[in-house]
Amino acid sequence: MTAQPTDIATYNFAYLDEQTKRMIRRAILKGIAIPGYQVPFASREMPMPYGWGTGGVQVTASIIGPEDVLKVIDQGADDTTNAVSIRAFFKKVANVAVTTDTAKATIIQTRHRIPEHPLTAGQVLVYQVPIPEPLRFLEPRETETRKMHALEEYGLMHVKLYEDIARHGRIATTYAYPVKVEGRYVMDPSPTPKFDNPKMHRSPALQLFGAGREKRIYALPPFTDVVSLDFEDHPFEVQTFDQPCALCAAENVYLDEVILDDHGGHMFVCSDTDHCEKRREQGHRGHLAPETPPALEKREPAQ
Amino acid sequence: MTDEPLLRVSALSKFYGSRIGCENVSFDLWPGEVLAVVGESGSGKTTLLNCLSTRLLPSSGTASYRMRDGQFRELYRMSEAERRFLMRTDWGFVHQNPADGLRMTVSAGANVGERLMAVGDRHYGKIRATAVDWLSRVEIDEDRIDDEPRAFSGGMRQRLQIARNLVTGPRLVFMDEPTGGLDVSVQARLLDLLRGLVTDLGLAAIVVTHDLAVARLLSQRMMVMKDGRVVESGLTDRVLDDPRAPYTQLLVSSILQV
């Protein structure tokens, strides 16, 4: 199966060769069979630098089919460099349909957010992971951390949370907040804000994590228990925002701070651009939304 | 005291290739007893300690440990998971260099609390209260609880290491030159503290030291090692006051008199 003919080069469907895709699929299947376990895989060089989502791209390339509809987000936004480039990449090498609509996508590759729109069964969320090992900054030896996972020695993870409370009076970790999967493996949810941790718990969507530089893949099958670690007297809680989105007035969503001028002006807007635009189309208006709602130009993504 | 030993060691040997680490060491250790292993450097005492604490696997011989349920388990036949669990609950290991036994980049409180969290404590307030209690027992001020051990003096680090090991109420503690590298007044206070803790808690301990004064102060029984073999063993006072083996006589007579 090949992509559409071009005059420069012809890629195999979805860029990777079929043997590589089979190798990655085996790692994914193993990851799904052992939720939260980091499966080593032979990560390939991709036409992008490490740290730009090579792990996520390889996972997506291995599972994508001609009928799939792909959405790519970067910190929740569909229109940032990373998201636009990866979407264009797969449009070119797999000739698949792309969308910014969370509900219409079958595969969503994400960097550091889970969409606000609830995911449904049949959807796959692919995370780009920089450092898959949650214990890495506490125990630098890979041999030792693997042993700790094998023997379920996770006291050290709580040492980190203890240090947070001792220093800041509360658990100050706000992203890459460690979770325990199915009561067994402690897992790094990739640097998503801890706001998104509850969305992982018993999600009907399949969640796959790819770390290209670190050569690890792990997975959460649908409806997996994902519990954020905490102390009995300092329970896990997510960030709250004291104002709604300035553009669409959404509450209980994750907001980004946007600087407006050089005089301290700023506003908080939805980090999930698709969610924000949908709400504005439906007539929701925040206090900083333009007076006359602009005709939200229907951009074809990734031109 | 019970009528069964805590640890039974039989014909333990460790070879490094053709070199002898320690050879044919046998002894029983009873609950609440402190055994000193003395000898010059290179005599195999640290090798012996590492074998006993399962940090090294011996070439031959057996060691069995009486678990809390009263059953003897052979140490070298236990799974790694069981051994590591034993090491962080029922045992302690005090290193000569505190940096080896402490996490230097987390606070003193977290150092003491780590073992508690490792065995499943999930209540921050209780963990912290226990840490405060243990810091005071090893004479570290409560207001140092959030400082990193890097900011501590050598003596304080060593005391912190002791607190970290004793917090889970172990029954057996291994100590490798616990007073090495400390000046004499700090050494004296540490020994005093150790002696108090060992008596209060009824700990059994195996103390490796080259310092006969430490052995005299801490231990009831001692073994003298030379070239990997035990040359003499017996009650500490007897060995030091009436050494029989020529090597022990040499060792005792080599103590500097002030």
Side-chain angles (χ1 to χ4, degrees):
Chain A
M1 197 184 287
T2 52
Q4 82 275 36
T6 67
D7 48 356
I8 306 167
T10 306
Y11 294 103
N12 188 38
F13 178 76
Y15 188 77
L16 292 174
D17 62 276
E18 292 303 314
Q19 285 303 325
T20 298
K21 285 198 256 179
R22 289 176 66 182
M23 175 272 292
I24 294 174
R25 285 178 201 141
R26 279 197 294 271
I28 293 172
L29 285 174
K30 184 169 180 181
I32 292 170
I34 317 171
Y37 171 71
Q38 299 167 44
V39 186
F41 80 110
S43 179
R44 297 292 192 250
E45 294 280 337
M46 296 302 284
M48 59 200 295
Y50 289 131
W52 284 72
T54 52
V57 164
Q58 289 179 77
V59 170
T60 302
S62 307
I63 61 170
I64 202 164
E67 306 304 317
D68 273 313
V69 182
L70 180 70
K71 169 183 164 83
V72 184
I73 52 173
D74 174 4
Q75 306 273 14
D78 294 279
D79 52 3
T80 53
T81 314
N82 200 221
V84 170
S85 308
I86 293 174
R87 207 162 45 216
F89 175 75
F90 279 110
K91 231 183 137 185
K92 181 172 180 186
V93 299
N95 198 23
V96 292
V98 294
T99 182
T100 58
D101 189 340
T102 304
K104 286 187 187 139
T106 56
I107 299 174
I108 304 170
Q109 181 171 333
T110 173
R111 174 172 173 266
H112 312 351
R113 269 315 306 282
I114 299 175
E116 304 290 355
H117 189 277
L119 300 177
T120 53
Q123 287 185 308
V124 184
L125 188 60
V126 178
Y127 295 78
Q128 302 169 198
V129 181
I131 295 166
E133 178 51 71
L135 300 161
R136 178 58 67 240
F137 293 107
L138 302 156
E139 174 53 68
R141 289 168 295 174
E142 174 74 13
T143 48
E144 184 67 14
T145 52
R146 295 185 83 166
K147 199 167 276 180
M148 290 162 85
H149 282 294
L151 301 176
E152 230 180 320
E153 285 182 10
Y154 290 131
L156 198 53
M157 206 70 247
H158 273 85
V159 169
K160 180 186 185 310
L161 302 181
Y162 172 97
E163 285 288 275
D164 265 4
I165 303 173
R167 274 177 208 188
H168 307 289
R170 67 197 161 79
I171 298 178
T173 304
T174 52
Y175 66 96
Y177 192 102
V179 293
K180 196 158 203 183
V181 178
E182 285 289 323
R184 178 58 180 87
Y185 282 97
V186 165
M187 186 189 93
D188 183 350
S190 87
T192 51
K194 68 177 175 183
F195 182 88
D196 285 338
N197 274 18
K199 294 182 197 163
M200 293 184 156
H201 179 59
R202 301 198 146 268
S203 167
L206 171 64
Q207 302 174 74
L208 303 176
F209 299 77
R213 182 184 49 209
E214 304 287 325
K215 301 177 172 57
R216 295 287 184 276
I217 283 173
Y218 50 105
L220 297 172
F223 304 106
T224 302
D225 279 336
V226 180
V227 179
S228 304
L229 300 180
D230 60 3
F231 284 103
E232 288 160 16
D233 48 346
H234 286 267
F236 172 78
E237 50 193 23
V238 298
Q239 299 100 316
T240 52
F241 298 89
D242 49 11
Q243 48 185 306
C245 170
L247 296 179
C248 75
E251 290 183 26
N252 302 317
V253 295
Y254 194 75
L255 300 180
D256 281 341
E257 185 182 13
V258 177
I259 306 293
L260 296 175
D261 51 36
D262 289 345
H263 314 292
H266 63 140
M267 65 174 179
F268 286 93
V269 294
C270 290
S271 118
D272 186 337
T273 52
D274 173 58
H275 182 74
C276 199
E277 282 169 15
K278 287 266 156 44
R279 278 181 58 86
R280 276 181 282 159
E281 277 170 22
Q282 290 161 14
H284 297 282
R285 312 243 335 283
H287 70 284
L288 284 177
E291 278 304 309
T292 49
L296 287 164
E297 71 272 33
K298 281 281 113 196
R299 290 160 303 155
E300 173 66 11
Q303 283 307 310
Chain B
M1 295 242 172
T2 51
D3 49 4
E4 275 190 306
L6 193 61
L7 183 70
R8 278 188 186 138
V9 181
S10 158
L12 201 69
S13 300
K14 172 72 185 174
F15 298 100
Y16 299 103
S18 59
R19 288 177 213 286
I20 298 173
C22 62
E23 191 180 19
N24 202 18
V25 178
S26 303
F27 66 91
D28 286 349
L29 183 75
W30 298 77
E33 182 183 42
V34 179
L35 173 74
V37 182
V38 301
E40 60 194 13
S41 55
S43 62
K45 44 192 203 303
T46 298
T47 297
L48 175 65
L49 194 74
N50 284 338
C51 284
L52 293 174
S53 58
T54 70
R55 293 153 57 83
L56 269 182
L57 283 183
S59 309
S60 65
T62 59
S64 39
Y65 178 71
R66 187 157 56 81
M67 309 293 281
R68 290 196 186 217
D69 61 7
Q71 298 297 313
F72 276 96
R73 294 287 308 276
E74 207 169 302
L75 292 178
Y76 310 118
R77 297 230 171 132
M78 288 164 86
S79 70
E80 185 170 14
E82 289 174 305
R83 282 204 301 263
R84 284 170 73 119
F85 184 74
L86 198 62
M87 281 195 88
R88 61 176 195 262
T89 53
D90 219 19
W91 289 3
F93 196 107
V94 178
H95 294 261
Q96 174 173 12
N97 179 3
D100 294 339
L102 293 171
R103 286 196 192 278
M104 299 303 277
T105 52
V106 303
S107 69
N111 262 294
V112 177
E114 181 179 342
R115 276 179 160 230
L116 295 173
M117 294 181 248
V119 295
D121 258 328
R122 293 290 178 265
H123 191 286
Y124 174 81
K126 286 181 194 157
I127 292 168
R128 197 169 170 85
T130 313
V132 168
D133 176 47
W134 268 101
L135 288 182
S136 73
R137 287 168 86 162
V138 297
E139 298 164 20
I140 296 176
D141 282 340
E142 189 181 331
D143 62 3
R144 301 300 300 270
I145 187 168
D146 291 331
D147 290 352
E148 289 179 9
R150 279 190 295 207
F152 285 8
S153 68
M156 280 174 79
R157 287 182 190 183
Q158 197 57 288
R159 279 178 277 144
L160 179 63
Q161 196 193 176
I162 289 163
R164 172 182 160 92
N165 273 287
L166 298 188
V167 69
T168 47
R171 295 189 301 159
L172 175 58
V173 180
F174 302 95
M175 299 188 211
D176 189 4
E177 308 274 8
T179 58
L182 302 177
D183 63 61
V184 283
S185 59
V186 175
Q187 230 182 67
R189 273 178 59 208
L190 186 74
L191 284 172
D192 203 38
L193 175 77
L194 269 178
R195 199 152 65 151
L197 287 173
V198 165
T199 327
D200 289 351
L201 303 171
L203 288 177
I206 298 176
V207 185
V208 159
T209 178
H210 62 269
D211 186 337
L212 294 177
V214 170
R216 163 94 81 177
L217 264 173
L218 280 180
S219 69
Q220 289 105 31
R221 213 149 55 90
M222 69 190 280
M223 290 197 312
V224 183
M225 290 186 73
K226 182 173 184 351
D227 300 332
R229 295 181 187 85
V230 176
V231 293
E232 183 164 4
S233 63
L235 296 177
T236 302
D237 290 342
R238 202 280 296 155
V239 174
L240 291 179
D241 294 339
D242 178 21
R244 288 176 194 168
Y247 175 71
T248 318
Q249 291 169 356
L250 176 74
L251 206 62
V252 170
S253 64
S254 307
I255 300 175
L256 288 177
Q257 302 296 328
V258 186

